[in-house]
Amino acid sequence: WSSDVCSSDLFNITNLEFLQVAEYRDDVQGEYKRHHDTFWINDSPYHRKISCVLQLTDPSTYEGGDLELYDLHSNYPNKKELREQGTAIFFPSFIPHAATPVTKGTRHSLAAWFEGPKFV
């Protein structure tokens, strides 16, 4: 990333919107299809700028349910590291991502979105 993308002005965080607990169950192949978290057109004075996903479940108790981050050109984290219970993954909210279908067991995660003045 260039220093322009990571400048403090661009990621000026002023608000934590709310927290969301998610449950992904194997009986419904729980997943969250590819998306991004920034709502470019909205009535709010804010944009979601940083997304955080906290892994709540022991990875030995479920299969599938991987967090996928797309369009990254380098330093993509190891999938095993992303699955570790207690791991918090922070990434720019405009990065496309998904949770793959859970094929066995149940996965829980906590998501948070840090907001700031709209991107210009």
Side-chain angles (χ1 to χ4, degrees):
W1 293 35
S2 73
S3 60
D4 291 338
V5 172
C6 292
S7 75
S8 60
D9 290 338
L10 183 63
F11 284 97
N12 179 12
I13 303 298
T14 59
N15 190 37
L16 173 60
E17 181 179 345
F18 61 90
L19 303 175
Q20 174 184 299
V21 175
E23 179 179 77
Y24 301 90
R25 299 188 334 254
D26 62 352
D27 62 331
V28 292
Q29 296 270 305
E31 67 179 315
Y32 206 118
K33 296 196 183 293
R34 184 179 172 142
H35 66 286
H36 58 81
D37 294 332
T38 301
F39 301 113
W40 297 109
I41 300 173
N42 64 37
D43 294 331
S44 168
Y46 304 109
H47 275 146
R48 289 179 176 177
K49 294 191 171 187
I50 301 289
S51 297
C52 174
V53 176
L54 175 64
Q55 301 292 6
L56 300 176
T57 307
D58 179 339
S60 68
T61 64
Y62 69 95
E63 294 177 7
D66 290 314
L67 174 64
E68 297 277 345
L69 301 171
Y70 301 103
D71 301 339
L72 300 178
H73 300 290
S74 64
N75 298 325
Y76 187 80
N78 178 308
K79 281 188 182 182
K80 184 176 185 242
E81 292 170 348
L82 292 179
R83 291 176 61 90
E84 291 299 317
Q85 186 176 22
T87 297
I89 302 102
F90 291 83
F91 54 93
S93 297
F94 53 77
I95 298 290
H97 57 285
T100 63
V102 170
T103 57
K104 180 180 177 185
T106 302
R107 172 186 173 244
H108 291 94
S109 64
L110 179 73
W113 299 278
F114 299 88
E115 298 179 327
K118 285 190 173 190
F119 291 113
V120 183

